[in-house]
Structure formats: structure tokens, C-alpha cells
Amino acid sequence: MTEFDALAAKYIAVWNETDPDARRVAIEDLWTPDGRYVDPTVAAQGHADIDATIGAVQGRFPGMRFRLRGPVDGHHEQARFGWQLGPAGAEDLVAGFDVIERDESGRLVHVLGFLDKVPS
């Protein structure tokens, strides 16, 4: 497993963490204090905004899990990977890919999210 594989797995685990306190600790560990997450539906900056974004997604899709989709491709300080969201054992409802940028310590500075499949 490469450093980028491990970082992507940790990132997905944060999106799946439903305990608010544990999720907040994981966010603080993974993102820089002024880290950004941007996708077509939201632009979040800082730990509190990122936490609120993840909580809102979990509220909209209760019981669903994120999974990595395909390989993680990374170089220098950035990587890209696909993901999917859906219930265990059933067709995924949402799919997309994210591009991440990390700092020299390995923490996320910027995440750009793109949606390939969304519920109608």
C-alpha cells in the first residue's frame, strides 16, 4: 500500500465515521486547520465546516457507506481516486472521484470532489 492508498483509505473512513466526536477528531487529524473541501454542492473550509458537510451527507444517506472505487493515482503532493456510496449488497446511489492535495506533513489541504452518478 502506498502513502496515497493509505491517505485515501483514511479519508473514506472519515466519511463513514458516524460518531460525531470520533469524526471530529479524525477530521482534525486528517485536514489542516484551514483545509478545504469543494464539490458541486458545497464549499467547506476548516474543520467545523468539513464536519458539518460530512454530517449532512450522512443525514441525507443514512446507513450508507462510502467505498473506494478503483486504484488511487498519486504523484508529488496530489492524488485522485474514485468512490461510491450506497447500501451494503445493493447498487450504489452516488459515485464520483476526488482530487486531494496534501501538505508536507501528509495532511489534506484541499479536496476537489466531482460527481459521476447522483440519485434522480
Side-chain angles (χ1 to χ4, degrees), residues 96-111:
F97 74 93
D98 288 354
V99 177
I100 61 173
E101 180 184 357
R102 66 182 184 180
D103 69 6
E104 61 281 348
S105 71
R107 293 172 78 197
L108 296 178
V109 175
H110 203 169
V111 177

Side-chain angles (χ1 to χ4, degrees), residues 23-35:
R23 184 177 62 236
R24 181 62 188 245
V25 168
I27 288 168
E28 290 172 358
D29 182 54
L30 185 59
W31 263 276
T32 60
D34 59 345

Side-chain angles (χ1 to χ4, degrees), residues 45-57:
Q45 182 162 6
H47 295 157
D49 282 356
I50 293 167
D51 185 36
T53 298
I54 294 171
V57 169

Side-chain angles (χ1 to χ4, degrees), residues 2-120:
T2 70
E3 287 181 28
F4 287 117
D5 290 322
L7 186 59
K10 191 173 180 180
Y11 172 80
I12 293 295
V14 169
W15 282 87
N16 287 328
E17 179 56 66
T18 57
D19 177 89
D21 294 331
R23 184 177 62 236
R24 181 62 188 245
V25 168
I27 288 168
E28 290 172 358
D29 182 54
L30 185 59
W31 263 276
T32 60
D34 59 345
R36 294 191 65 215
Y37 172 84
V38 179
D39 74 19
T41 66
V42 69
Q45 182 162 6
H47 295 157
D49 282 356
I50 293 167
D51 185 36
T53 298
I54 294 171
V57 169
Q58 290 176 354
R60 182 170 179 204
F61 300 101
M64 311 256 177
R65 303 287 292 171
F66 282 92
R67 290 176 294 284
L68 285 172
R69 181 180 61 151
V72 177
D73 180 29
H75 62 84
H76 295 86
E77 300 304 324
Q78 61 266 334
R80 63 181 177 155
F81 51 85
W83 52 264
Q84 52 203 29
L85 172 67
E91 183 179 346
D92 293 309
L93 298 176
V94 185
F97 74 93
D98 288 354
V99 177
I100 61 173
E101 180 184 357
R102 66 182 184 180
D103 69 6
E104 61 281 348
S105 71
R107 293 172 78 197
L108 296 178
V109 175
H110 203 169
V111 177
L112 301 172
F114 296 86
L115 301 172
D116 297 328
K117 176 183 175 184
V118 295
S120 48

